[in-house]
Each structure stands twice: as C-alpha cells, then as structure tokens.
Amino acid sequence: MSSIARTHPGARPGFTVDSDPIDAMFAAELTDGLPVVPPTEDRVSAMLDGGPWSAAEILLHEETRDTDVTAYQAAVCAVMAGAEPSYFPVIGAALKAMSDPSFFLHGPTTSTGGATVMIVVGGPIAAELGIWGQENLFGPGFRPNATIGRTIRLTQLHCLSAKPGELDKSTQGWPGKFSLCFTEHTDASPWEPIHVSLGYEAEDSTVTI
C-alpha cells in the first residue's frame, strides 16, 4: 500500500500510506470505472522488460495536441489494465501505429459518435499470446484481448486526457471503448488475413488499428 504513495509522490489526492490500493486508485480517479492493478515499481519494471523500449522512449505522438506517450507511461497503463509483460510489444506497436498522422488519433479520441481504437493482431504472435478470434471474440473471457485493448483506453484516458465530458465528447459511448482487441480466425476464413492484404507476409506478426 505504501509503495504506491512513495512511487508516485505527485499523485492526485486519494493516495495515502493507509489507503487500500484498489480504493485509492478509484479515489484518485485513475481507473476506467473498473478496478485496476496498482502500478508498483516492480510491476512497471517487469512490464518494460517485456518490450524492446527504454522507459523514456516515445511510443506515441499525438500531433493535434502535441502530446507524447513514453514507454514508461504505457507500461504503467498496461500494469493497471492487468496485461502480461509478454503483451507489451503488441501494446507498443499499437501505440506507434496510432502516431501515424494518417490515422488522425485526435478524431476517435474526441468524437461525439463513440469511435474507438480497434486493434487486430495478426500473424504468429496472436497464437503465441493466446489472443482470441473465434466465438465471443468481442466478449469477456480472454485476458490478452481484454487487457491489450484496455491498456490503449487507459493510455487515452490518462496520457491524452480523454476523459468523458472533457476531451472525450462521445454522446453515449459503448462497451467497445473499454477494450476492442482481437485476432482473425484465419483457418475458417475464406479471405486472406488483413495484414497480408496490406502487403505483409503471412508469417509476419503485425498490429492493425
């Protein structure tokens, strides 16, 4: 409990040495409405070790508001989302893809229509991580699907200030804004995988947003 207060001395009001970690995260408005895993130093360090980036490396640049997201910030959000360190390369790749000016991240971040970032993981990495693409792929039950997508939403909330009623102007929203990550059921599909249609080899591991 005390490690949270000491690790984040500048955190919002709500963190105290005597606080329950889960309740403290709610009190500090650091959740997406569901409980989050407290981002202790050890957990964040392990998450960073799961990827190839240094803590200070910029994974995302949001051009409209000139805002950067570092690997450290992404790792904090990934821990809070409940992701495994082995998922971090996929998370980082998604954030880098979101930086592409042609994607125009500011649009789905501020849209009144409820737009969200959809993440399709292709190639061998999907099976290696257990990312699901069959029955109930948009529903509960699959840790990588849920936590990779949730990391992206928490990153938007905390690093891009996309809070409902402030920057997030979605009129109603929808459950896909908690998490929307999946893979394709290529063995049963009559079409080639998305990443192949985009010019990659079938054996390449990719993230399409």
Side-chain angles (χ1 to χ4, degrees):
M1 287 184 283
S2 59
S3 64
I4 299 173
R6 291 171 184 153
T7 302
H8 303 282
R12 303 174 194 180
F15 283 103
T16 68
V17 172
D18 297 323
S19 292
D20 174 84
I22 302 299
D23 288 341
M25 300 295 280
F26 276 111
E29 298 181 358
L30 292 174
T31 83
D32 53 5
L34 296 172
V36 294
V37 177
T40 61
E41 286 182 299
D42 288 347
R43 287 172 178 151
V44 174
S45 178
M47 188 64 66
L48 280 168
D49 287 344
W53 306 287
S54 66
E57 187 167 345
I58 294 171
L59 297 186
L60 182 150
H61 176 72
E62 201 282 285
E63 193 170 57
T64 302
R65 302 177 68 237
D66 193 25
T67 303
D68 292 329
V69 176
T70 65
Y72 179 83
Q73 291 172 304
V76 169
C77 291
V79 169
M80 291 168 64
E84 291 273 7
S86 60
Y87 307 166
F88 199 56
V90 171
I91 291 164
L95 292 170
K96 282 183 168 290
M98 289 161 61
S99 297
D100 189 325
S102 66
F103 183 66
F104 189 54
L105 176 59
H106 189 67
T109 301
T110 61
S111 170
T112 60
T116 194
V117 178
M118 182 175 75
I119 304 157
V120 186
V121 183
I125 192 69
E128 291 171 17
L129 298 182
I131 298 171
W132 190 247
Q134 299 181 43
E135 297 86 351
N136 199 46
L137 76 164
F138 297 130
F142 312 103
R143 183 176 184 177
N145 296 46
T147 60
I148 292 171
R150 190 185 186 200
T151 299
I152 299 304
R153 174 53 53 182
L154 285 170
T155 301
Q156 289 177 277
L157 279 169
H158 299 316
C159 303
L160 302 181
S161 300
K163 297 189 180 299
E166 296 178 19
L167 192 64
D168 183 344
K169 297 295 186 180
S170 177
T171 305
Q172 295 177 314
W174 64 296
K177 293 187 73 169
F178 276 98
S179 175
L180 188 57
C181 172
F182 58 96
T183 190
E184 298 169 89
H185 188 13
T186 55
D187 291 343
S189 174
W191 303 289
E192 63 184 7
I194 288 175
H195 70 291
V196 173
S197 69
L198 292 173
Y200 294 91
E201 299 298 325
E203 60 270 19
D204 290 335
S205 290
T206 67
V207 178
T208 304
I209 58 166

